[in-house]
Amino acid sequence: MPISKGLQKSEPPWKEWDKKAQKNGLRHQVYAVNGDCYVGEWKDNMKHGKGTQIWKKKGAMYEGDWKFGKRDGYGTLSFSDREMGKHRKVYSGWWKGDKKSGYGIQFFGPKEYYEGEWCGNQRSGWGRMYYSNGDLYEGQWLNDKPHGEGMLRQSKCPAASQPAPPQRPAGHTLRAALRLATPLCPPASPQKAPL
């Protein structure tokens, strides 16, 4: 009696293509239709592990940790500086769920930056803000504003003839306003009248 072999089932070609397209582990450059580029680790088709994302339209670049497609862990966000021809660091610190969270440093300009705690993309907790005019605020922050106990150290002394009223950043409580430091200025020396 002849033995017949059954026809082997073959999968449609799209299933094999889909398996090859699944992203797991380390990959080389992966481009999106809009020109964005990602190089790094993947898990279940999501950015997961160490990687670098470049957003072409914004000119932004993120290098750091990813978790299930979102920035999570330590990383650095930079923007391209057309004048210098390279990327300028904007934020370096901790992320959670694609938002700044934990300790980090945000650069607002060449001489103006904040270093301290973040929560949900906002300055929140203890931190220091260095202003471009040389002033420094160190203290508590809430909802991206100085709030609670803190100290404002001014770099320039007010004129001796006009005592400056105590200044406090918006969002301060009265208790915090009383704790604001006055600038450390040398006492005004009495000027002698010419003879």
Side-chain angles (χ1 to χ4, degrees), residues 26 142 155 162:
L26 183 62
L142 183 65
S155 65
Q162 296 177 331

Side-chain angles (χ1 to χ4, degrees), residues 41-57:
E41 299 175 34
W42 295 81
K43 183 176 182 179
D44 298 329
N45 272 343
M46 290 187 276
K47 299 166 198 159
H48 192 85
K50 300 276 184 203
T52 302
Q53 170 77 41
I54 298 173
W55 290 274
K56 186 178 179 182
K57 190 173 184 179

Side-chain angles (χ1 to χ4, degrees), residues 55 62 66 69-72 95-100 121:
W55 290 274
Y62 171 79
W66 295 83
K70 295 183 178 184
R71 294 172 285 193
D72 201 301
W95 299 78
K96 185 168 181 94
D98 226 21
K99 294 183 178 183
K100 299 171 206 162
N121 266 353

Side-chain angles (χ1 to χ4, degrees), residues 113-126:
Y113 64 96
Y114 169 83
E115 64 174 324
E117 298 173 25
W118 293 81
C119 184
N121 266 353
Q122 294 186 336
R123 295 172 280 191
S124 191
W126 194 262

Side-chain angles (χ1 to χ4, degrees), residues 12 20 30 68 95 145 179:
K20 288 181 180 177
V30 176
F68 300 111
W95 299 78
K145 295 178 184 171
R179 288 201 162 98

